[in-house]
Amino acid sequence: MKNIRNFCIIAHIDHGKSTLADRLLEYTKTVEGKDLQAQVLDDMDLERERGITIKSHAIQMKYHYKGEDYILNLIDTPGHVDFSYEVSRSIAACEGALLIVDAAQGIQAQTISNLYMAIENDLEIIPVMNKIDLPSAMPDEVEDQIVELLGCPREDILRASGKTGEGVYEILNSIVEKVPAPKGDPEAPLQCLIFDSVFNSFRGIIAYFKVVNGVIKKGDHVKFIATGKEYDADEVGVLKLTMSPRNEIRTGDVGYIISGIKTSREVRVGDTITHVARPAKDAIAGFEEVKPMVFAGVYPIDSEDFENLRASLEKLQLNDASLTFQPESSAALGFGFRCGFLGLLHMEIVQERLDREFNMDVITTVPNVSYKVYDKKGNCKEVHNPSGLPDPTLIDHIDEPYIRASVITNTSFIGPIMTLCLGKRGILLKQEYISGDRVEIHYDMPLGEIVIDFYDKLKSISKGYASFDYHIHDFRPSKLVKLDILLNGEPVDALSTLTHIDNSVTFGRRMCEKLKELIPRQQFDIAIQAAIGAKIIARETVKAVRKDVTAKCYGGDISRKRKLLEKQKEGKKRMKQIGTVEVPQKAFLAVLKLD
C-alpha cells in the first residue's frame, strides 16, 4: 500500500490537463505505439471535437523511481463550471492533486474553486505551470499569482509543457515524493467509494471505485449502502487503457466492479460498497444527491418516439449521474420529459449526445430554474416549469435562487463587465486585485438571469479573458411574472417563461419580433402576442400569403373587383377558424439566442 499514489488533475477549462495526462501516460509507458494519440483519456467524439473533458476518467500507471516500483492512479477531471460535482467526487478518491495553471492565461476562476475543493479534502497540492513553450507565456507573472494563491515557496512550482514533454519526469518524481500513500486498514470491514460509473451494453453497469478500507475479491457478495441492493462481484480489476481483471483489489487502490447491474438507479455516485457478511458500520461521508440547476422540457419531434426517448435518457443517465428527468406533457408538443441539467453547457452536451449516440431528434424548450412559490396560506411549492405556476391571485410571493458569482478579469474590462452584471440584476459585493492587472469581482445574481446567455456575453465583451465561477447561495423574494406567447389567441405553453417584471416588456417584444421572422407565412394572418395574464404587452403580425384575385379584371366596374376581394376575405376567415400554426423547432432554439 505504501507504493500506491492516487492523484487527480484540476485546472480551469482549456489549461492543457488532457495533453499533460497524455504525456504522463507516454512517459510511464502505460500507452505505447498505435494507442498513443492526442487526448487518450477523452474517448467521446464530442470531447475531442470541442477539446473539453466531459467525464472523469481513471487510469493506472506504473513508475520506477529510486529502485522501487510505484502504482500511480490518475483521475482526470472536467474543467468546466457545470461539472464541478464530477470534480468533487474525483477529489474525494485522491490523496493529492496536480494544480495546473496555463502560463499564458494565469489563474482563472475555476482554478480557484477547484483548489478550495481540494484543500477542503486535505489533498497535497502540487502546482504545475503548463504551456511554458508558448511564445505568449508569462512564467514569472504567473508564478507570482500561484505563490500568492497557495503561499508555497517559488521553487515548488514545476514548469512543464504537455506539448513538448518538458518537465514531465519532474512531475512524476514529485507525485511519488509528495503525495502521501493512501491511509486505510486492510483488515477492517470493506468500504469502497464509487466515484464514477459507465454503461456497457454487454455487461451492464460498471462502477469505478476506490477501496478505502478492507479488500474486495472476485466472487464476493457485496452490498451498495445507499440503495440497499446486494450483488455478486462477477469481476473486479484495475483500469489500464482497457479494463484488466484481478482476483482482488486491496486498500488504497482504484478499480472497477462488474456485477450485472441493469438499471442506472441502482448505482449512485458517491455510494459505498461493503460486504454483506461483514458490513461496515457506516457509509463514507461527504456525498450528496447532485442538484440540477437548469430545467428544460425535452420532447421527441415525432410523438411515437416517446418510449425510445425514455430509454435513451435512461442509458444516458448511466454515464451521466447528474442528469435528472420526469415525464410531462405540453399542449403544443405532446408528451416529453422535464429534464434537470447542471448548466447550459451540460444541456447542450446532453442534446448532442441524444442525437449522436441514440439518433433522437428532440425539441428543447426555453430553460428555466426552479422557484419557490408561496401561497396566501404560507404553503411552499417548488416550480420547475412556468405552466406549473398556480393562479396569480393565490400567490403571496415567489422566491428565486441567487448565486454567489466570482468573475476574474483584466482591469481593462471592468467597466463593460459591471454594466453586464448590473443589467442582469447583479448586486456588487466587493472587488479585489489579485496581482498586477487582474481583478476578482464578486456579485450576487439571480440564477435565472445567467441561465440563457450570460456566459457567452461575458466571453465576448472581455475578448475571452474573463473567467466565471458560481455556486448557489440562497433564495430571495422577487417580483416575477409569467410571460405567455399567444399565436392567434392560443397560448403556446412551451414558449412561456417566468421573468422579472422590469424585463418583461422588452423581453416580450423581442420574442414577438424573433418569432415573426421564424414562423412561416400561412394563407391567413397570424397574430403573435406576448401577454402577462390578460394584458397584451406586445404584438406582431405575420401577413397572409395571398393570390391576386383581381388580376383578370382589366378595367370595368369597381364592384366586380370588390366582389372578388370580399369572396377571398370570406375564404381567409373560414381558413383562420380551422387552421393551426406549426411552430418550427428553430423558434424554440431562437429564444435561447435572442441577441
Side-chain angles (χ1 to χ4, degrees):
M1 201 165 96
K2 69 179 194 338
N3 285 11
I4 296 176
R5 302 283 182 271
N6 298 321
F7 69 101
C8 60
I9 299 185
I10 52 178
H12 189 81
I13 190 166
D14 204 24
H15 278 203
K17 57 188 168 306
S18 296
T19 314
L20 199 63
D22 291 350
R23 291 293 83 73
L24 294 175
L25 296 177
E26 182 188 344
Y27 284 31
T28 53
K29 299 195 168 48
T30 310
V31 181
E32 294 183 284
K34 66 179 193 308
D35 290 332
L36 198 63
Q37 49 172 332
Q39 290 168 285
V40 178
L41 295 179
D42 292 351
D43 47 13
M44 226 185 287
D45 295 343
L46 209 62
E47 292 181 313
R48 289 171 178 263
E49 277 167 33
R50 291 178 172 230
I52 57 176
T53 304
I54 296 168
K55 290 276 299 158
S56 300
H57 293 274
I59 191 162
Q60 189 180 86
M61 307 179 272
K62 284 199 166 59
Y63 185 56
H64 191 74
Y65 179 64
K66 291 189 178 170
E68 287 193 60
D69 284 327
Y70 289 89
I71 289 174
L72 310 180
N73 290 313
L74 156 68
I75 300 175
D76 183 24
T77 59
H80 195 278
V81 59
D82 280 9
F83 304 114
S84 53
Y85 182 64
E86 292 251 337
V87 180
S88 77
R89 295 184 311 218
S90 306
I91 285 176
C94 296
E95 282 82 37
L98 292 182
L99 178 77
I100 292 184
V101 181
D102 187 327
Q105 298 189 37
I107 284 174
Q108 291 188 295
Q110 209 50 37
T111 322
I112 294 178
S113 72
N114 286 346
L115 172 72
Y116 287 155
M117 225 187 282
I119 291 172
E120 272 169 32
N121 282 289
D122 289 338
L123 300 200
E124 176 65 40
I125 311 285
I126 300 175
V128 177
M129 187 162 47
N130 195 16
K131 302 192 185 182
I132 57 164
D133 59 310
L134 288 180
S136 58
M138 316 172 292
D140 298 337
E141 285 122 357
V142 174
E143 235 172 43
D144 292 342
Q145 292 175 20
I146 298 174
V147 169
E148 206 162 311
L149 178 69
L150 278 177
C152 62
R154 216 171 242 286
E155 53 276 8
D156 283 5
I157 300 170
L158 303 174
R159 295 191 176 197
S161 161
K163 198 170 175 188
T164 61
E166 185 184 336
V168 173
Y169 282 122
E170 285 81 8
I171 293 176
L172 287 164
N173 297 345
S174 62
I175 289 169
V176 172
E177 285 170 7
K178 292 184 180 171
V179 175
K183 299 181 182 68
D185 181 1
E187 304 303 317
L190 176 71
Q191 275 184 315
C192 303
L193 170 72
I194 299 178
F195 63 85
D196 204 0
S197 64
V198 293
F199 178 71
N200 181 316
S201 46
F202 302 108
R203 316 207 53 181
I205 294 165
I206 303 167
Y208 296 166
F209 61 83
K210 177 198 173 187
V211 185
V212 179
N213 289 314
V215 177
I216 184 167
K217 296 180 178 165
K218 184 179 175 178
D220 279 354
H221 193 47
V222 294
K223 175 182 173 183
F224 287 41
I225 292 182
T227 54
K229 295 280 199 313
E230 298 179 5
Y231 307 99
D232 289 317
D234 300 335
E235 180 181 312
V236 293
V238 295
L239 298 149
K240 294 291 179 82
L241 195 57
T242 52
M243 294 183 289
S244 58
R246 298 276 189 275
N247 285 327
E248 61 175 28
I249 307 281
R250 303 191 65 79
T251 307
D253 218 340
V254 173
Y256 68 89
I257 177 170
I258 299 176
S259 49
I261 304 171
K262 293 181 183 64
T263 53
S264 61
R265 291 185 199 86
E266 294 176 20
V267 178
R268 293 277 171 78
V269 168
D271 196 356
T272 306
I273 307 175
T274 187
H275 281 136
V276 173
R278 188 175 160 225
K281 286 192 182 69
D282 41 9
I284 298 162
F287 274 94
E288 63 220 59
E289 289 283 312
V290 56
K291 287 201 72 171
M293 297 296 164
V294 176
F295 296 87
V298 173
Y299 293 86
I301 286 181
D302 189 352
S303 55
E304 289 166 4
D305 285 340
F306 176 71
E307 282 304 325
N308 296 351
L309 180 60
R310 183 198 294 271
S312 306
L313 283 168
E314 277 172 1
K315 281 185 186 158
L316 201 56
Q317 205 177 28
L318 304 178
N319 283 351
D320 188 345
S322 37
L323 171 70
T324 60
F325 62 91
Q326 60 204 51
E328 71 165 5
S329 64
S330 141
L333 299 168
F335 289 103
F337 295 93
R338 168 107 333 215
C339 296
F341 307 98
L342 297 175
L344 274 197
L345 176 79
H346 186 211
M347 174 171 138
E348 214 175 292
I349 279 160
V350 166
Q351 248 174 299
E352 188 102 351
R353 285 181 70 183
L354 279 173
D355 182 30
R356 289 186 181 200
E357 295 170 27
F358 306 100
N359 272 337
M360 292 301 308
D361 273 347
V362 293
I363 293 177
T364 312
T365 63
V366 188
N368 59 300
V369 298
S370 60
Y371 297 96
K372 288 183 175 168
V373 180
Y374 291 88
D375 61 14
K376 296 271 169 55
K377 294 175 185 166
N379 300 328
C380 171
K381 175 186 175 189
E382 253 198 33
V383 174
H384 303 313
N385 189 351
S387 59
L389 207 64
D391 190 83
T393 52
L394 304 173
I395 297 174
D396 182 47
H397 66 279
I398 302 177
D399 284 2
E400 67 173 332
Y402 265 70
I403 58 165
R404 181 66 50 91
S406 78
V407 179
I408 295 183
T409 175
N410 232 337
T411 43
S412 48
F413 303 117
I414 291 183
I417 287 174
M418 285 193 164
T419 312
L420 172 70
C421 293
L422 293 172
K424 297 281 186 189
R425 297 191 282 134
I427 303 159
L428 178 64
L429 299 173
K430 61 175 178 181
Q431 63 183 54
E432 44 196 29
Y433 286 84
I434 303 175
S435 66
D437 59 349
R438 292 169 73 75
V439 62
E440 184 174 9
I441 312 173
H442 295 269
Y443 269 97
D444 272 357
M445 294 166 81
L447 179 63
E449 291 283 341
I450 66 155
V451 157
I452 295 187
D453 55 0
F454 177 79
Y455 198 67
D456 301 347
K457 279 186 181 166
L458 180 72
K459 283 291 181 196
S460 57
I461 60 176
S462 66
K463 303 191 172 69
Y465 276 110
S467 60
F468 171 68
D469 180 54
Y470 68 89
H471 57 268
I472 291 293
H473 188 55
D474 56 3
F475 278 78
R476 301 182 190 180
S478 115
K479 288 186 176 170
L480 297 168
V481 288
K482 182 182 170 194
L483 181 75
D484 285 314
I485 299 291
L486 313 174
L487 293 183
N488 278 345
E490 289 290 314
V492 181
D493 55 358
L495 287 174
S496 57
T497 48
L498 279 176
T499 175
H500 194 264
I501 196 155
D502 298 347
N503 307 340
S504 57
V505 176
T506 48
F507 187 68
R509 196 169 293 140
R510 272 163 49 205
M511 263 175 95
C512 289
E513 285 163 7
K514 194 80 184 174
L515 287 170
K516 184 184 176 182
E517 295 165 22
L518 292 166
I519 288 177
R521 289 170 70 185
Q522 307 283 350
Q523 299 279 346
F524 50 88
D525 282 1
I526 304 169
I528 305 169
Q529 295 164 313
I532 295 174
K535 183 184 170 194
I536 304 291
I537 55 170
R539 171 180 170 136
E540 294 285 337
T541 310
V542 180
K543 283 293 179 198
V545 185
R546 40 180 291 213
K547 183 179 167 189
D548 189 358
V549 285
T550 59
K552 60 185 181 195
C553 304
Y554 47 95
D557 192 359
I558 185 71
S559 58
R560 283 181 59 198
K561 289 186 181 176
R562 185 159 296 135
K563 184 178 140 195
L564 290 167
L565 287 168
E566 290 296 328
K567 193 172 160 193
Q568 184 187 33
K569 204 168 166 187
E570 281 299 311
K572 296 271 183 214
K573 201 170 166 185
R574 248 198 338 270
M575 206 180 264
K576 187 171 181 172
Q577 284 166 358
I578 57 164
T580 55
V581 184
E582 283 285 308
V583 183
Q585 186 178 357
K586 275 195 299 209
F588 293 109
L589 298 176
V591 179
L592 307 185
K593 302 190 172 75
L594 267 179
D595 298 322

